[in-house]
Structure formats: C-alpha cells, structure tokens
C-alpha cells in the first residue's frame, strides 16, 4: 500500500488549501467617517481618519508581505518535520496505521543534527531509503529553518530580512 504517503498527501492538500485561503484574505478595512465629538470639528475627524486610513493601509501591507507569508512558511516547515517523523515511525516500526498514536512520543536519534537531517539520515542508514535532495532544495530548507528559528525567538527584524530572500510560492514544491 501507500503507507503514510497517502495520509500525508491528504493532509498536504488541506494545508495547501488553507494557506491559499489565508494568503488571499482581504484584510483591508474601510475607515468610516464618524460624527465629531463635542470637542472635535468635522475637519479634525477627517484628518484623524486620513491618518487612521494610512495606518490601516500600512498594517494591511505588513500582514500581506510579512506576517502571512512567514506564518505560512512556519506551517509548511512544521508539517514537513511532522511528515518525516510519521514516515520514520511507520516504516521503522512496521506499523499498519503509520500514524503515531496519541500519547506516544516517537523521536529519531538526533546526533546534534537538525531534525530534518537526522530524519533523512535515519531513513538512509536504518531503512536504506535514500532521499536525494538537490542543493537548491537543501538551501531552501536551510533558509526556512533559519527563518523558523528567528520566528520562534521573536526576532522579527531578521525574519523580515530573510523572508525577502525566499520565494514563498516555492514552499509546496
């Protein structure tokens, strides 16, 4: 049978659809003209709402160009790690279900490598499954891992810098 690949494929289709929906959300907010308070004139309200509109516009651009793409990358990266772990579990333990049972902790031996490198080494050494990633794929995964580390530690400036160096449309390939 297809083993864990069918389950992972179905989950990946759902994740892809979810990410597309998030990426295509219309986050723009229309700022309506509110009546002036007792201490304001109509001109004060219009001036404030103009500034409010510019603020909302900047927020929208930041969400569209930073928060959404970086969050989508994190979801994909975490999904990739989870999928590798599922494959290692299912194949290593000759499981019929392949999914790691709830409450079960399964981790492959790490040897001071990244989780992804450890999983790929495990598949090759223990199970004779060699996944040959191209240099481009390896570099892409490394860049995303570095962004994930900065994201997890709240280093937003580094995330913003690094995310401009990566083609987020390639993440599902």
């Amino acid at each position: 049978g297809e083993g864990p690949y069918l389950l992972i494929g179905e989950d990946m289709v759902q994740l892809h659809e979810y990410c597309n929906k998030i990426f295509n959300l219309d986050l723009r907010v229309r700022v309506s003209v509110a009546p002036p308070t007792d201490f304001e004139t109509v001109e004060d309200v219009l001036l404030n709402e103009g500034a409010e509109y510019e603020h909302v516009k900047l927020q929208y651009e930041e969400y569209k160009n930073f928060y959404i793409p970086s969050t989508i990358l994190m979801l994909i990266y975490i999904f990739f790690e989870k999928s590798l772990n599922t494959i290692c579990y299912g194949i290593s333990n000759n499981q019929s279900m392949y999914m790691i049972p709830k409450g079960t902790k399964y981790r492959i031996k790490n040897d001071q490598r990244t989780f992804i490198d450890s999983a790929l080494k495990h598949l090759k050494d223990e199970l004779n499954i060699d996944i040959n990633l191209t240099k481009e794929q390896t570099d892409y995964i490394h860049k995303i891992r570095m962004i994930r580390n900065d994201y997890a530690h709240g280093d937003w400036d580094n995330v913003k810098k690094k995310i401009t160096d990566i083609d987020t449309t390639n993440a599902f390939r």
Side-chain angles (χ1 to χ4, degrees):
E2 294 87 12
Y5 310 110
L6 181 62
L7 297 169
I8 291 168
E10 289 172 358
D11 287 348
M12 190 164 79
V13 168
Q14 285 182 341
L15 179 62
H16 186 256
E17 289 171 0
Y18 177 75
C19 289
N20 276 334
K21 284 179 183 171
I22 291 174
F23 194 75
N24 292 312
L25 280 177
D26 186 359
L27 299 172
R28 290 171 291 188
V29 176
R30 182 185 305 155
V31 178
S32 62
V33 177
T37 64
D38 293 342
F39 306 104
E40 294 177 304
T41 65
V42 172
E43 290 79 18
D44 291 335
V45 170
L46 292 174
L47 184 65
N48 287 339
E49 289 189 349
E52 173 78 11
Y53 175 77
E54 286 304 313
H55 175 71
V56 167
K57 187 174 153 192
L58 286 173
Q59 270 188 326
Y60 169 75
E61 288 171 8
E62 187 167 31
Y63 270 90
K64 207 65 170 163
N65 298 323
F66 170 61
Y67 289 112
I68 291 173
S70 61
T71 301
I72 286 172
L73 276 178
M74 296 310 95
L75 287 171
I76 294 168
Y77 187 84
I78 291 164
F79 176 78
F80 184 52
E81 283 190 346
K82 175 191 170 286
S83 298
L84 276 174
N85 203 41
T86 299
I87 291 168
C88 289
Y89 172 81
I91 294 173
S92 296
N93 297 315
N94 295 317
Q95 299 296 316
S96 58
M97 281 298 295
Y98 290 100
M99 299 307 289
I100 301 169
K102 289 185 192 251
T104 300
K105 291 275 188 193
Y106 173 77
R107 297 300 285 171
I108 56 171
K109 192 173 158 190
N110 192 313
D111 294 344
Q112 300 299 318
R113 300 179 202 299
T114 67
F115 175 79
I116 291 172
D117 290 341
S118 295
L120 295 175
K121 183 176 181 346
H122 176 76
L123 288 170
K124 183 177 182 179
D125 294 350
E126 303 295 321
L127 307 167
N128 204 26
I129 299 172
D130 197 5
I131 299 174
N132 294 312
L133 298 175
T134 65
K135 176 158 177 31
E136 181 184 14
Q137 290 168 325
T138 304
D139 290 347
Y140 191 78
I141 291 167
H142 175 73
K143 285 179 182 178
I144 294 175
R145 186 173 59 78
M146 300 309 293
I147 292 169
R148 188 208 67 78
N149 291 346
D150 290 334
Y151 188 99
H153 296 289
D155 192 345
W156 302 118
D157 289 336
N158 267 340
V159 174
K160 284 178 184 178
K161 285 179 204 164
K162 291 174 183 172
I163 203 150
T164 59
D165 293 340
I166 201 162
D167 179 6
T168 54
T169 60
N170 257 341
F172 275 101
R173 294 190 180 129

